[in-house]
Amino acid sequence: MTKRTYWAEHARLDDTVEPGVALDVADGRITAVHKETPAPPPGAEVLRGLTMPGLANTHSHAFHRALRGTVQVGSGTFWTWRDLMYRCADRLTPDTYHALARAVYAEMALAGITAVGEFHYVHHAPGGTRYTDPNAMGEALIEAAAEAGIRITLLDTAYFSAGFGQPPNTHQLRFSDGTADAWAERCSLLKERDHARIGAAIHSVRAVPADQLATVAHWAAERGAPLHVHLSEQTAENDACHAAHGRTPTRLLADHGVLGPRTTGVHNTHLTDEDIALLGDSGTGTCMCPTTERDLADGIGPAVALQAAGSPLSLGSDSHAVIDLFEEARAMELNERLRTRTRGHWTAAALLRAASADGHAALGRPEAGTLETGAPADFTTIALDTVRTAGPLPRLGAETAVFAATGADVRHTVVAGRHVVRDGAHTLVPDVPSALAGAIHALRG
């Protein structure tokens, strides 16, 4: 049994900031929490700043990181952005995807993220040819997370059509297993590990025919696994769904048994009042991705109304225009302020819960996201003495984190009791910028 003690100069416990907290850790879990510990115990690892539960990036497409700075050239729409994304996906192999994802997940660790939900749909070789290992691409992601030192929920994604009644296009052939039954057969070969959970995803109601939605939902239900779905990100999707089925995407998912407390709708941007009620009444979660939604000009989703209706909120960096969960939390509140011209829709504590505990729950780890005995020893520390964070009293740490800090202020990240980021440097991937640059350059051919 590996035992160690971390001493936090300040720590967020039960939504309050406590000075001098010692966290005893063994076998990847917190075994004791000692308040009123004014000095580090002998041999303790010192965490200067504010220590809080590790952040959960609920929605990621790791390969989209290669698009940063490229898709911002000129103007265009979501659909022209998608064409550039397809070209990037066409170049991925298991080896290049592993290298890119390892660097991306290391970037996440540097930003205080201890777990990621990877919405994974690049399953096969270009043209749809199966690899010898049919899950070679998913295994590359799982191994990349292990090497970067973070946890992963691999949300293996069903994707069978280019649109309602349309076969996959040339780019999408490598995403498709053909049918939901074939998808389920392949997914069932994936195995969970200490750092990896296996979940499911429906790419969208455009990409999974209505008569196959229940198969994906049943696969997840049998395993008690998380189930995620892109939902009403674009008004064009709503219009096409109405034309094909005479109902909204949310109603279509409800009618086929997809909604429920293990399910998370990603974006949930363009919803009717009935849609909001369906999601809330079923306990279906909502993952907001504000930095991507603004980058793609998607719109501002009704997060306040969704939460009030009963839909738990989580946050994701999605296309990785930036990787910074503090910015996602801040953007959700500030977007709502711009839309309504009023302030204070969420407290800083509530926004941090969306970025941590509620995100971990959406990824199938409800025990995570807290600093208490028995919880996973996953936590992150932000500095309180940078040009962004200096000045506020430590007891205002939540407000400082959400409304002032960025991922660049993260000094330490601990996952399963292991120091993955120490003093702002990744302990497993020595030069993350070079790893990112090299992996992205390899995709340019």
Side-chain angles (χ1 to χ4, degrees):
M1 178 182 290
T2 302
K3 297 181 180 180
R4 58 169 56 96
T5 297
Y6 289 92
W7 179 80
E9 184 180 26
H10 303 280
R12 289 200 76 244
L13 305 177
D14 299 323
D15 286 347
T16 63
V17 175
E18 300 282 348
V21 175
L23 302 169
D24 293 339
V25 172
D27 289 343
R29 292 193 172 269
I30 297 171
T31 56
V33 178
H34 306 282
K35 299 181 185 180
E36 299 179 354
T37 306
E45 298 201 43
V46 176
L47 308 175
R48 295 284 177 190
L50 174 67
T51 297
M52 64 186 76
L55 306 178
N57 191 353
T58 308
H59 188 66
S60 162
H61 302 291
F63 77 92
H64 289 192
R65 174 62 179 81
L67 301 172
R68 185 187 295 177
T70 300
V71 292
Q72 281 74 30
V73 175
S75 57
T77 67
F78 170 86
W79 308 102
T80 56
W81 170 89
R82 191 177 70 159
D83 289 340
L84 293 171
M85 178 270 289
Y86 284 158
R87 292 179 208 169
C88 180
D90 287 344
R91 300 187 185 102
L92 293 170
T93 68
D95 288 342
T96 60
Y97 205 5
H98 170 268
L100 177 59
R102 175 177 177 267
V104 173
Y105 297 153
E107 182 182 358
M108 291 184 191
L110 288 171
I113 293 164
T114 58
V116 61
E118 184 60 40
F119 200 102
H120 166 55
Y121 55 81
V122 187
H123 301 305
H124 309 298
T129 302
R130 272 48 174 172
Y131 291 106
T132 302
D133 175 357
N135 287 304
M137 296 294 270
E139 292 292 344
L141 293 166
I142 291 171
E143 181 59 27
E147 293 181 16
I150 70 171
R151 302 184 192 271
I152 186 172
T153 297
L154 187 74
L155 298 160
D156 197 286
T157 304
Y159 196 135
F160 314 127
S161 66
F164 297 96
Q166 301 175 31
N169 65 30
T170 300
H171 302 290
Q172 295 163 343
L173 288 171
R174 71 180 310 189
F175 308 161
S176 177
D177 292 291
T179 67
D181 287 335
W183 168 85
E185 182 178 357
R186 178 183 55 74
C187 285
S188 296
L189 300 174
L190 289 162
K191 304 299 181 187
E192 296 194 343
R193 273 141 269 191
D194 286 346
H195 79 291
R197 285 219 63 192
I198 306 301
I202 293 164
H203 180 273
S204 58
V205 294
R206 290 179 288 108
V208 177
D211 62 359
Q212 299 190 55
L213 293 170
T215 300
V216 182
H218 179 69
W219 186 93
E222 276 191 322
R223 292 159 178 76
L227 174 62
H228 290 210
V229 55
H230 290 134
L231 181 58
S232 289
E233 181 178 5
Q234 294 287 321
T235 55
E237 175 183 288
N238 291 354
D239 295 342
C241 189
H242 268 290
H245 297 290
R247 66 199 80 178
T248 67
T250 302
R251 170 53 73 181
L252 186 67
L253 294 175
D255 291 347
H256 290 273
V258 175
L259 303 185
R262 285 180 300 95
T263 300
T264 297
V266 180
H267 303 300
N268 294 0
T269 307
H270 303 285
L271 303 177
T272 66
D273 289 344
E274 181 192 28
D275 292 339
I276 292 170
L278 285 169
L279 293 168
D281 290 346
S282 62
T284 300
T286 294
C287 177
M288 305 297 289
C289 305
T291 65
T292 291
E293 289 151 5
R294 72 190 184 197
D295 183 53
L296 297 180
D298 286 344
I300 299 171
V304 171
L306 282 161
Q307 187 172 53
S311 179
L313 299 180
S314 57
L315 295 164
S317 63
D318 192 1
S319 69
H320 312 313
V322 297
I323 293 177
D324 188 336
L325 267 287
F326 301 117
E327 174 62 18
E328 302 295 345
R330 176 162 56 245
M332 187 163 71
E333 167 66 23
L334 298 186
N335 283 353
E336 195 66 20
R337 291 183 186 185
L338 285 173
R339 191 179 68 82
T340 63
R341 292 183 290 173
T342 60
R343 304 178 76 215
H345 302 278
W346 293 277
T347 64
L351 292 166
L352 284 179
R353 282 195 297 276
S356 56
D358 289 344
H360 290 294
L363 297 179
R365 296 183 184 275
E367 71 281 7
T370 183
L371 299 182
E372 59 184 35
T373 301
D378 299 351
F379 36 90
T380 189
T381 304
I382 63 167
L384 296 179
D385 58 358
T386 73
V387 293
R388 289 167 294 277
T389 61
L393 295 171
R395 63 181 176 80
L396 299 175
E399 288 75 12
T400 302
V402 171
F403 293 108
T406 73
D409 297 309
V410 170
R411 290 294 173 267
H412 304 281
T413 301
V414 173
V415 183
R418 179 171 64 169
H419 221 142
V420 176
V421 174
R422 179 183 281 112
D423 295 322
H426 204 288
T427 63
L428 305 175
V429 183
D431 188 344
V432 178
S434 291
L436 284 164
I440 292 168
H441 179 76
L443 293 179
R444 293 184 181 140

